[in-house]
Every structure is written in C-alpha cells, then in structure tokens.
Amino acid sequence: MDNLRVHVASSGAYAVITVAGDVDATTTGQLHEAVVRAREISAHLVFDLAEMTFMDSAGIRVLLDAFHHTQTEGGSIALSGPRPSPRKVMELVGLADHIPIYDSPAEAVAGGPA
C-alpha cells in the first residue's frame, strides 16, 4: 500500500485536511494527528480526498470520530472528491448519510456554514 501524506491548511473559516495515499490501520495515526491539528484551526473541517487511493474501516473510524467531535463543538465536517472505491466503502457503511460529500473542497466550503 502507498504511504499516507496528510496536509492541513486554513481556508477561510475552514480547516482543509488533504489526504493522499492509503488510509488503513497502519496510517490512521497520521490522519488522527492531522484532525487534531485541524481542530485547532477551526471547528469546521473539510477532508480533500481526491488523492486518497484506499480507505479501510480504521479510516472510517477516524472520520466518524471527527464527525462526533465537530458535532459537540458546534462545527461541521464535509468530504470532497473521494475516488470511486473509497466512496463506495463510505456509502456502504452509511458514512455518506451523515457527512456530505462534495466534488471539490471549494464546493464543500461553499455548501457549508458561513
């Protein structure tokens, strides 16, 4: 599996977490650390997943934890650009029923709270 690369940046009222590579049990620690850094920037998180090649249940767990934290902090979470395979996993486990999925980070920011 590919190495995971994660980058956190500010975009207006949002923290954007860009994820590239594979998210699995061996790399979720990196993703979790990025979420913690992002939450220091904003309670509104956007995950740019366009370059994420794989996600297993451990990655889903990190996204669910981020969702629950943002809910308790009055924030929001959105996903953007997941490839077909990871998106199918997200839909199968019902993640897409709770977290909106957009085509791009710009759409996620525009579609979320001001």
Side-chain angles (χ1 to χ4, degrees):
M1 291 193 182
D2 294 340
N3 290 327
L4 180 66
R5 295 168 311 285
V6 184
H7 177 74
V8 177
S10 177
S11 178
Y14 291 81
V16 178
I17 303 165
T18 303
V19 182
D22 293 347
V23 178
D24 59 26
T26 65
T27 60
T28 54
Q30 287 176 261
L31 182 57
H32 175 74
E33 289 172 12
V35 171
V36 170
R37 287 193 316 271
R39 289 178 43 222
E40 292 172 358
I41 296 170
S42 177
H44 303 288
L45 308 179
V46 173
F47 288 82
D48 179 356
L49 305 176
E51 297 301 318
M52 183 181 68
T53 52
F54 174 83
M55 177 177 275
D56 68 7
S57 60
I60 295 291
R61 176 67 183 196
V62 173
L63 294 178
L64 284 173
D65 287 346
F67 171 75
H68 291 298
H69 279 109
T70 58
Q71 295 297 297
T72 60
E73 296 171 354
S76 64
I77 184 172
L79 309 176
S80 71
R83 293 178 180 193
S85 178
R87 185 180 186 129
K88 185 172 183 173
V89 171
M90 292 173 198
E91 291 170 348
L92 286 171
V93 300
L95 189 67
D97 296 337
H98 302 286
I99 302 174
I101 300 175
Y102 296 91
D103 290 332
S104 72
E107 286 182 17
V109 168

